Amino acid sequence: MNTHFKTSFRSVWGTSALFLFTVANTTAQVCPEAANLTAELTGARAHVRFLADDRLEGREVGTNGAHCAGDYIAAQFSALELEPAGSQGSYFQTFSIRKGAELGPQNRLVISGRTYGVGTDWVPAGYSASANINREIVYGGHLLDNPEDPGDEFASLDISGKIVVVEWGDPDAPHGISVRGDPHYKATVAAGRDASGIIVLAPEGMGRPSLEDETRATLSIPVGIVNGAIAETVREALIGGGNAQLHTDVQATTADARNVVALLPGSNPERMRETVVIGAHYDHLGHGGEGSLAPESTEVHNGADDNASGTAAVIEAARSLAAGPPLERSVLFIAFTGEEKGLWGSAHFVREPTVELERAVAMLNLDMVGRVVDDQLTILGFGTAAEWDEIVDMAAGEMSDPLSIAKSPDGFGPSDHSSFYGEGIPVLHFLSNLHEDYHRPSDDFDKINYEGLERVIELTVDILIKLAGNGSDLVALTPLEQDRPPPPGQASSSTSGYGPYLGSIPDMTPRDFGLRLTGVREGSPADEAGLRGGDVVVEFDGNEITDIYAYTYALQARSPGDEVSIVVERDGERVTVTAVLGER
């Protein structure tokens, strides 16, 4: 399950120094032999055992471990004789992701005649522009962009055309950590104030940033981060002013990410183009870092519950349906990648579907369904179709050992179903519960309640049969729109439980420029302003929007009740709307 939503986007914004200073594990690996790992295991146990093995190194998107997991899932689909439904007749829908950055040979920092060593004294940030500038250098304090504070001498400092040197962190925040204190935020602010470049002074004892995990878009100015041990030397060099040469040479690196997609064709020629979708994400956190709730650990985060359990459930649901009576509608099985990074795989799929998505009847999503306790299962999405209560209640009542269902109406939430609900497709999201091993290395194979997982699979299969039809009357779902504000912690273009509220649902998949909206909540300020799903925000209140970070920074700089102008790209044209921000 995706922490970008669950923890109020805390890890997305890199407010912890650990986000930028995590050491990536790049050890080459070979896929383990499935038969050896799963000997004497069958069904969901075998799938979780393989997917949660240490040798898959946490299945982080774009890694060899994720590749091994994808191959395993595709092999399972193939063994069930499901049709490949990815790209070019394969089981895979492959797309390119930014996987980090690497330094070129031309990196140089000179201040007052002293050359600082790249990799020892300083390093460019992974989101730095590549540039070579020689400009006046000026000290900017913490550069918190607080022009309404008369005591902040740096808020109105003229940094246009200059290289500004700033301190890491936010002295006004507890522990010095906040969105405003993050170097990426400061660099965005500096670029918005026409600075030519920025140098950030890291605290004493902090290591140099790792570029390997940087996924944020390249900014428009060069960004250097100075090792905390020599920060005072840089401060002393600023006395009396002068110039600095900042030469940054940073190249983005990419990797292939893969959704795994298979189809069980329907048997009714008039209905087989109608599709019921069932999915689960198979990626996890690798060796920790961003999103981990054990931030000091670099152990493998195996993600047995999150989300080997959901992936195993999808495979076993496919097995049950493939062996059963023919269904009238088709069933599409998708194992998504990149969910932990912000629903990358599902967002890519709904933008570039490999089937006729406009004929999708419903989407069922399974994420963390392996830790059933006291027969409890939570299902979200009941407010997305009028018939869900009847369908789920009937399916639960037909179980030999029924689960107790806790129902939630919301169709937007912290997993891949949000991407489909943004397209107007009714959804259900299955979740057994959060637990103390969530996003920690301890989420392992032996912690799964396999008996409970089998019951979740039984319920899921029965719901799928009712949706896809096996000779009985086909269910026709009536999609419902929701007008309620999001629960705390969910994405709505406000990254915390307070402050300005817009009500747009961001697509967190990285883009070359701008922020695409998956949808907007009915009755929200975004809806009233005329924003729509599919809009790409390129300007917010006069601020250029390059990505989701710039969007969030611009929103957080405003207050409830403020009137803001928003420019979006829609159908090849630029459209300007005016919104009055609400309050969370």
Side-chain angles (χ1 to χ4, degrees):
M1 180 172 289
N2 173 251
T3 18
H4 293 274
F5 290 135
K6 285 300 297 180
T7 58
S8 302
F9 284 21
R10 173 182 55 83
S11 59
V12 167
W13 315 126
T15 53
S16 167
L18 289 166
F19 174 78
L20 288 178
F21 288 77
T22 300
V23 177
N25 186 306
T26 57
T27 305
Q29 62 181 30
V30 176
C31 297
E33 191 67 42
N36 294 336
L37 284 179
T38 62
E40 301 181 2
L41 298 176
T42 59
R45 288 178 182 268
H47 307 319
V48 176
R49 176 65 186 88
F50 180 86
L51 295 170
D53 187 73
D54 281 351
R55 280 169 285 184
L56 268 65
E57 295 197 83
R59 310 185 305 277
E60 184 176 2
V61 59
T63 64
N64 194 50
H67 193 93
C68 293
D71 284 350
Y72 175 86
I73 297 164
Q76 297 298 316
F77 288 158
S78 178
L80 297 174
E81 299 184 351
L82 301 179
E83 292 186 2
S87 303
Q88 299 177 331
S90 76
Y91 287 105
F92 300 108
Q93 183 190 36
T94 303
F95 57 100
S96 181
I97 61 169
R98 178 165 181 179
K99 191 56 184 168
E102 59 186 13
L103 297 184
Q106 304 297 322
N107 287 284
R108 181 177 173 84
L109 176 62
V110 181
I111 302 175
S112 298
R114 173 174 172 170
T115 299
Y116 294 84
V118 64
T120 54
D121 298 334
W122 77 287
V123 68
Y127 46 82
S128 171
S130 293
N132 184 7
I133 58 175
N134 193 325
R135 301 292 173 84
E136 179 184 351
I137 191 168
V138 62
Y139 182 66
H142 282 88
L143 199 70
L144 295 182
D145 195 35
N146 207 10
E148 297 179 0
D149 181 1
D152 185 355
E153 62 179 299
F154 302 111
S156 57
L157 181 69
D158 180 14
I159 60 175
S160 178
K162 302 172 185 176
I163 299 174
V164 60
V165 176
V166 304
E167 305 287 349
W168 184 298
D170 180 356
D172 298 332
H175 313 295
I177 296 174
S178 73
V179 170
R180 297 191 312 162
D182 184 85
H184 185 274
Y185 177 88
K186 295 174 188 285
T188 303
V189 169
R193 290 168 60 177
D194 296 322
S196 293
I198 185 170
I199 297 170
V200 183
L201 304 180
E204 183 72 30
M206 182 175 287
R208 294 186 302 276
S210 167
L211 280 71
E212 289 87 349
D213 296 326
E214 184 55 68
T215 60
R216 290 174 284 191
T218 300
L219 297 181
S220 60
I221 62 173
V223 183
I225 300 180
V226 169
N227 190 320
I230 65 162
E232 187 57 35
T233 303
V234 173
R235 292 188 192 96
E236 292 174 358
L238 293 172
I239 298 174
N243 280 28
Q245 180 190 11
L246 178 59
H247 191 172
T248 51
D249 184 2
V250 183
Q251 304 301 320
T253 58
T254 61
D256 284 342
R258 304 188 300 174
N259 292 326
V260 190
V261 194
L263 182 74
L264 178 64
S267 60
N268 185 334
E270 297 180 359
R271 295 289 192 176
M272 64 185 304
R273 292 175 65 189
E274 298 174 2
T275 307
V276 180
V277 182
I278 174 174
H281 76 91
Y282 70 92
D283 65 305
H284 196 54
L285 302 180
H287 285 258
E290 180 189 4
S292 174
L293 295 182
E296 301 292 341
S297 174
T298 57
E299 295 179 63
V300 175
H301 288 51
N302 279 321
D305 189 28
D306 186 14
N307 186 34
S309 66
T311 305
V314 169
I315 295 171
E316 288 306 294
R319 184 184 310 281
S320 180
L321 294 180
L327 301 172
E328 297 193 36
R329 288 171 171 148
S330 298
V331 181
L332 188 72
F333 303 89
I334 313 178
F336 301 107
T337 192
E339 188 267 359
E340 299 289 1
K341 296 294 187 182
L343 317 187
W344 287 1
S346 57
H348 180 79
F349 184 85
V350 299
R351 285 199 313 274
E352 300 183 22
T354 58
V355 301
E356 295 176 281
L357 198 59
E358 63 271 14
R359 288 179 173 264
V361 175
M363 191 273 179
L364 275 57
N365 183 54
L366 294 100
D367 193 348
M368 295 182 64
V369 291
R371 301 287 283 267
V372 173
V373 177
D374 297 331
D375 301 325
Q376 297 290 319
L377 178 69
T378 297
I379 302 181
L380 297 86
F382 280 87
T384 67
E387 295 76 16
W388 279 139
D389 277 294
E390 180 181 356
I391 293 170
V392 174
D393 288 349
M394 187 180 300
E398 293 170 356
M399 296 178 66
S400 57
D401 188 7
L403 292 163
S404 177
I405 309 298
K407 300 178 180 180
S408 172
D410 202 16
F412 287 117
S415 193
D416 292 304
H417 61 288
S418 286
S419 297
F420 288 80
Y421 187 52
E423 299 297 314
I425 299 169
V427 297
L428 289 179
H429 170 51
F430 297 71
L431 167 70
S432 55
N433 212 336
L434 297 181
H435 44 75
E436 63 182 6
D437 301 310
Y438 171 66
H439 279 206
R440 292 180 172 88
S442 53
D443 180 11
D444 224 330
F445 166 80
D446 58 355
K447 301 287 186 70
I448 299 298
N449 175 358
Y450 290 98
E451 185 273 336
L453 178 55
E454 292 293 343
R455 292 162 70 193
V456 174
I457 296 169
E458 178 188 352
L459 175 66
T460 303
V461 168
D462 199 359
I463 294 172
L464 287 169
I465 291 173
K466 295 183 187 307
L467 293 170
N470 61 353
S472 58
D473 292 337
L474 280 173
V475 173
L477 294 181
T478 307
L480 299 176
E481 293 186 351
Q482 298 178 332
D483 57 3
R484 61 189 60 81
Q490 288 191 14
S492 62
S493 306
S494 178
T495 60
S496 65
Y498 57 90
Y501 167 65
L502 183 57
S504 58
I505 310 297
D507 178 348
M508 295 177 64
T509 311
R511 299 175 53 86
D512 290 336
F513 187 82
L515 174 73
R516 180 182 181 271
L517 302 181
T518 298
V520 299
R521 290 184 175 274
E522 186 180 11
S524 68
D527 183 34
E528 293 176 356
L531 292 174
R532 308 173 187 170
D535 285 348
V536 178
V537 181
V538 295
E539 186 177 305
F540 186 100
D541 198 34
N543 298 286
E544 184 179 63
I545 301 302
T546 54
D547 57 15
I548 193 169
Y549 300 94
Y551 185 60
T552 302
Y553 301 155
L555 177 62
Q556 289 190 333
R558 308 306 301 175
S559 300
D562 285 352
E563 183 176 277
V564 296
S565 175
I566 304 171
V567 181
V568 301
E569 290 184 351
R570 178 186 298 165
D571 299 328
E573 297 182 357
R574 289 205 168 192
V575 177
T576 301
V577 303
T578 301
V580 179
L581 300 177
E583 186 170 10
R584 287 297 299 263

